[in-house]
Amino acid sequence: MMGIVLDSVTKKVVAETHLNNISLELEIGTTTVVLGHTLAGKTTLLRLMAGLDRPTSGRILVNGRDVTGMSVRKRSVSMVYQQFVNYPSLTVYKNIASSLKMSGMSKIEIDRKVRETAAMLHIEDLLDRFPAELSGGQQQRTAIARSLAKDADLLLLDEPLVNLDYKLREELQVELQDIFKKREAIVVYTTTEPAEALMLGGNIVVIDEGRVLQTGSTPEVYHNPATLKVAQLFSDPPINYLNGAVRGDAVRLEQDIEFPLDGHLKSVPAGSYIFGIRPNHFFLSRVSDKDAELRVKVELAEINGSETFIHVSHGDSRLVVQEDGVNPLRIGQEITIYVNPACFFVYDTAGALFASPFNKGSDRRPAWPA
Amino acid sequence: MACIELNEIAHAYVRNPAGESDYAIKRIHNVWDDGGAYALLGPSGCGKTTLLNIISGLVTPSRGRVLYDGRDVTAMPPEKRNIAQVFQFPVLYDTMTVFDNLAFPLRNRGIEKNEVIKRVHEVAEILDLTPFLKKKAAGLAADAKQKISLGRGLVRSDVAAILFDEPLTVIDPHLKWHLRRKLKEIHEQLKLTLIYVTHDQMEALTFAEKVVVMYEGEIVQIGTPQDLVENPEHTFVGYFIGSPGMNLLSCTLNGNVAHIDGARILLDQKTTELGGKARGKLELGIRPKYLELSSEPGKNGVPADIKAVEDLGSYKIVTLTLAGKTLQAKLPEGKPVPGGTAWLVFPPQWIRLFADGRLVK
């Protein structure tokens, strides 16, 4: 296979396991997002792929060749770090060109490549400036340009936009996605943010505490999170849970909610389950006649100008409702919220996905009527 | 707690400012009400941190006065202003326990022992830190550490205001929800004057009663989150608030029709009247979430070509071209997207006009 293969890779530092038995295959020409919390092992994973660190056990193959332990200098890799790294004494032009010096390119070719890459990142007017004369966003664009200018087989980006302005981040996400698509490289991009992962698309590797929890196409994993933990990591606002049980042909949630087994829930046998529901699937008013009702107490309403995030409690459960529009609600107020049972993810008590409202495969239309 | 007045403030970092471009703060003249929750929102380099530092006393402005409850504090250093600050990275003593960290500002001021114990326990209770009081700060997670920084501000009963400089930037998304919620609850309970600097619109809009939007050293709008979404005073606010930002299309007016090159958009009576009075370069603005997409021409549909559809989980972003211009529509999850050509409807009540970048009103 043309690409990078991690074969049962483990990384330990003293007694601590940073990565635990990771096996992955990433093909050339694809973008892979690595999603996980801070300290989940994302940076360690990139450093192993780059050859900056050596795995404690396991093998790493690039285009079929074993490169485990081979120095980063002998590999075709470029990496962008979370903190902008530029040469302070070099201009933007020379910073970008620095990655090409070893390539044996002619001066004219280097010049063309530097200008082309700078234009791609909209810093072509800043080529004569020094890093200290740039804003944070411009500095990070320079660092990204330096990595992109070099046609490395492996392009690794470690939360590259986290220190940038929100709006700039949004724009760069769109641009980078286009740049990645045009490249014949293996692109690996780490993030803590579900929205960023969805924006970049491609494939995803969800990791937590040094283990891979799920891999697949990014939207596919979003719509079918295999475990409760993946659903948690891949929902912002966080996904809601309710404890429930299936008896006969009905579901009973918490103590007081009951609805018939229908649609994707039909095949769920009797037993105890955890029902997951994303905040945008709760509503403040009835949408369909199948909706189940929950009486809840308002704990807080956060209004962002066009949507309201209502934090509510139901017994011991705390839930978030994401509702369109501005809905000022009083703290302590008792309200009814509505949910269509067709939107529930069903997890078994061990946290494994039992039934999803989304069909598997390329057709990801939800099972509920749009 | 205090009401903070900024009187004709301007600031330049250079010694002899020549022109307007030398000023990091051009002119700011406004009052921050006692007990208000404010967010100071803008892109990097807009002057928001400079303004925060002028309020706290870390920076003395080149021009103008800062008043706390009518008292001139312009020349007063931060430690005399009774200001508490929470920074991007938690500031605390790693080797001390959570209790000692919280007690530090009080002991420093020679507060009596029983009072210290009482205040620390009260604040720990509010911030859910009670179980950690005997633990060393070093071992705690990032969000707990940030709560301690906040607690060190809250523990003093004499604080005039609490200033936050991007306090959630280094916090993971799932913990941001928890901390934002905590901040809201604290404001509801204690009614403190809170000023929160951020470039993240989601944080600003959910946190604040009033959002102060800054751009190139000036305040371009002060409004409720709803104002900023529905009636941006400036095209910059339209662009900066919302993801994606407001669609802005150059147009000409002919009676109740806005012409965007070949496309005709119908206006309601109110907008038509406003448009009649407008002078300068005109733009029509509409937020992506208000655009309606249909596979049928319908009554007022204008044809547009769909260029890209991005599935972002709880919604989709559709990029279209209309008369050669690019615009974006935001559709809720589950809503079908027509293929190829779509008919776009601009609901008249959500159309805004801008003349030379300013909202026509």
Side-chain angles (χ1 to χ4, degrees):
Chain A
M1 190 196 78
M2 293 297 277
I4 188 167
V5 174
L6 275 71
D7 178 15
S8 317
V9 167
T10 292
K11 175 72 183 172
K12 288 184 187 170
V13 177
V14 198
E16 233 176 295
T17 304
H18 289 202
L19 287 177
N20 196 338
N21 197 21
I22 304 252
S23 291
L24 287 174
E25 291 187 11
L26 311 180
E27 258 179 82
I28 201 142
T30 61
T31 300
T32 303
V33 180
V34 179
L35 175 72
H37 288 164
T38 302
L39 299 180
K42 303 187 296 297
T43 304
T44 309
L45 186 65
L46 291 197
R47 291 182 61 87
L48 289 179
M49 285 184 182
L52 289 166
D53 288 329
R54 215 193 151 106
T56 311
S57 62
R59 296 187 310 153
I60 297 173
L61 297 102
V62 172
N63 298 338
R65 199 160 62 106
D66 191 335
V67 297
T68 321
M70 188 190 279
S71 135
V72 63
R73 293 180 183 282
K74 294 190 178 157
R75 300 197 198 182
S76 174
V77 175
S78 65
M79 187 147 168
V80 180
Y81 299 88
Q82 195 174 327
Q83 304 289 349
F84 336 126
V85 187
N86 290 305
Y87 298 106
S89 59
L90 300 183
T91 61
V92 170
Y93 185 99
K94 286 190 176 156
N95 261 289
I96 301 174
S98 68
S99 68
L100 301 172
K101 276 210 181 128
M102 306 295 280
S103 67
M105 271 188 193
S106 71
K107 248 188 156 165
I108 299 167
E109 261 179 292
I110 290 181
D111 186 68
R112 188 185 55 80
K113 196 80 196 172
V114 167
R115 290 182 190 281
E116 184 187 289
T117 316
M120 212 149 61
L121 289 152
H122 308 297
I123 50 172
E124 66 269 37
D125 297 334
L126 307 173
L127 290 172
D128 297 331
R129 300 234 199 135
F130 288 93
E133 299 168 334
L134 304 176
S135 72
Q138 291 164 339
Q139 289 185 42
Q140 185 65 327
R141 281 166 187 251
T142 305
I144 295 173
R146 197 177 59 237
S147 303
L148 289 177
K150 179 174 154 189
D151 271 318
D153 293 341
L154 196 53
L155 174 58
L156 307 172
L157 303 103
D158 195 11
E159 301 188 46
L161 307 183
V162 78
N163 287 325
L164 301 184
D165 269 5
Y166 183 84
K167 208 64 195 182
L168 188 59
R169 207 185 295 177
E170 208 174 275
E171 286 165 9
L172 274 178
Q173 277 165 3
V174 175
E175 288 169 22
L176 285 178
Q177 186 199 7
D178 286 340
I179 292 168
F180 295 161
K181 270 186 197 146
K182 291 181 195 138
R183 263 187 118 77
E184 269 302 298
I186 305 155
V187 180
V188 187
Y189 188 113
T190 68
T191 183
T192 58
E193 293 185 15
E196 186 169 54
L198 285 161
M199 183 64 103
L200 289 163
N203 295 319
I204 197 165
V205 174
V206 183
I207 71 170
D208 190 51
E209 294 181 350
R211 288 172 191 274
V212 170
L213 299 185
Q214 192 173 1
T215 60
S217 101
T218 303
E220 173 77 33
V221 172
Y222 177 84
H223 291 299
N224 289 286
T227 63
L228 269 179
K229 190 72 203 175
V230 175
Q232 261 168 354
L233 286 167
F234 209 170
S235 301
D236 185 36
I239 194 164
N240 298 303
Y241 307 109
L242 291 161
N243 291 312
V246 172
R247 303 256 179 283
D249 53 4
V251 177
R252 209 178 153 88
L253 285 189
E254 304 286 310
Q255 300 308 315
D256 50 348
I257 309 144
E258 210 174 275
F259 52 85
L261 281 180
D262 201 8
H264 74 296
L265 303 176
K266 257 185 187 153
S267 58
V268 181
S272 293
Y273 299 92
I274 299 158
F275 288 77
I277 183 92
R278 286 206 164 101
N280 64 315
H281 294 145
F282 274 133
F283 292 92
L284 292 185
S285 53
R286 179 174 285 283
V287 179
S288 94
D289 52 10
K290 298 215 162 133
D291 285 0
E293 296 179 9
L294 275 85
R295 283 298 285 173
V296 295
K297 199 167 105 189
V298 174
E299 297 203 327
L300 185 73
E302 289 187 295
I303 297 171
N304 76 358
S306 59
E307 290 166 304
T308 310
F309 301 93
I310 307 138
H311 301 256
V312 300
S313 61
H314 178 87
D316 292 338
S317 306
R318 291 188 154 191
L319 309 167
V320 182
V321 180
Q322 181 178 2
E323 179 86 0
D324 205 37
V326 172
N327 300 278
L329 292 161
R330 224 180 44 249
I331 291 175
Q333 198 178 335
E334 298 260 346
I335 59 169
T336 302
I337 59 174
Y338 300 84
V339 55
N340 187 332
C343 300
F344 277 114
F345 291 97
V346 186
Y347 290 91
D348 65 23
T349 46
L353 183 64
F354 196 90
S356 161
F358 293 90
N359 304 323
K360 283 224 162 143
S362 58
D363 181 11
R364 281 179 286 92
R365 269 187 315 115
W368 70 83
Chain B
M1 281 298 119
C3 145
I4 298 168
E5 188 183 338
L6 300 178
N7 193 298
E8 294 291 349
I9 294 283
H11 187 70
Y13 285 104
V14 292
R15 202 173 280 271
N16 295 306
E20 220 181 31
S21 62
D22 281 344
Y23 281 88
I25 301 286
K26 295 204 175 92
R27 175 188 175 263
I28 286 182
H29 184 77
N30 75 315
V31 175
W32 308 66
D33 293 333
D34 189 7
Y38 292 93
L40 200 46
L41 176 70
S44 68
C46 72
K48 56 187 189 294
T49 298
T50 303
L51 189 61
L52 193 76
N53 290 341
I54 287 172
I55 294 172
S56 70
L58 286 170
V59 168
T60 307
S62 324
R63 277 210 313 262
R65 295 185 307 147
V66 181
L67 302 139
Y68 282 18
D69 284 334
R71 198 162 58 101
D72 191 331
V73 297
T74 318
M76 210 181 259
E79 62 273 17
K80 297 247 169 83
R81 294 193 186 187
N82 287 339
I83 285 280
Q85 298 208 66
V86 180
F87 297 97
Q88 189 171 340
F89 294 96
V91 180
L92 37 79
Y93 299 98
D94 262 350
T95 53
M96 286 193 202
T97 61
V98 173
F99 184 97
D100 288 340
N101 264 288
L102 293 175
F104 192 82
L106 298 178
R107 289 176 177 158
N108 238 358
R109 281 170 182 74
I111 307 284
E112 181 253 329
K113 196 177 162 197
N114 286 329
E115 178 65 15
V116 171
I117 294 171
K118 183 172 150 268
R119 287 294 297 167
V120 168
H121 279 106
E122 278 171 14
V123 167
E125 198 54 38
I126 293 173
L127 293 169
D128 306 324
L129 287 172
T130 308
F132 305 110
L133 280 174
K134 289 186 181 142
K135 291 222 168 83
K136 288 257 195 299
L140 298 178
D143 63 318
K145 286 187 177 176
Q146 202 55 309
K147 281 203 281 192
I148 300 170
S149 304
L150 174 60
R152 286 157 54 101
L154 291 176
V155 79
R156 289 161 48 192
S157 55
D158 60 347
V159 275
I162 304 182
L163 311 184
F164 301 85
D165 196 356
E166 315 229 346
L168 300 185
T169 305
V170 296
I171 308 287
D172 276 4
H174 64 297
L175 298 173
K176 276 186 185 166
W177 284 90
H178 173 72
L179 272 182
R180 273 211 326 255
R181 175 177 169 160
K182 205 76 235 174
L183 279 180
K184 274 293 251 212
E185 285 171 3
I186 288 166
H187 185 248
E188 299 274 350
Q189 275 177 35
L190 307 176
K191 289 290 171 207
L192 301 170
T193 308
L194 305 178
I195 303 177
Y196 187 114
V197 164
T198 179
H199 60 82
D200 186 322
Q201 51 163 321
M202 180 70 177
E203 283 176 26
L205 296 172
T206 51
F207 168 79
E209 296 159 336
K210 286 270 177 68
V211 181
V212 178
V213 186
M214 283 189 71
Y215 179 55
E216 295 186 342
E218 285 177 285
I219 293 175
V220 285
Q221 186 167 2
I222 301 176
T224 64
Q226 194 174 0
D227 290 337
L228 301 182
V229 170
E230 296 181 2
N231 292 301
E233 298 259 335
H234 193 282
T235 48
F236 174 78
V237 179
Y239 150 83
F240 199 74
I241 302 285
S243 18
M246 188 175 228
N247 294 301
L248 293 160
L249 306 158
S250 298
C251 69
T252 54
L253 293 186
N254 187 358
N256 67 339
V257 178
H259 292 269
I260 297 166
D261 288 332
R264 290 161 48 88
I265 314 289
L266 281 182
L267 305 178
D268 60 14
Q269 195 188 343
K270 187 181 157 211
T271 312
T272 306
E273 281 168 17
L274 287 172
K277 291 183 284 182
R279 296 288 168 269
K281 180 182 161 283
L282 274 188
E283 284 169 283
L284 180 151
I286 187 158
R287 294 239 171 242
K289 62 171 291 195
Y290 299 132
L291 277 174
E292 290 167 15
L293 247 68
S294 163
S295 52
E296 307 287 327
K299 207 171 136 220
N300 293 323
V302 288
D305 293 323
I306 295 182
K307 292 293 168 199
V309 181
E310 276 174 284
D311 185 349
L312 297 185
S314 61
Y315 60 93
K316 289 194 189 87
I317 305 274
V318 184
T319 305
L320 310 110
T321 52
L322 171 73
K325 296 196 169 74
T326 302
L327 65 175
Q328 292 183 303
K330 191 170 178 177
L331 303 184
E333 180 178 2
K335 196 139 202 163
V337 181
T341 299
W343 272 266
L344 266 182
V345 176
F346 289 64
Q349 73 272 28
W350 294 118
I351 293 176
R352 299 291 177 267
L353 291 176
F354 296 87
D356 291 335
R358 301 269 165 196
L359 180 70
V360 180
K361 57 175 184 177

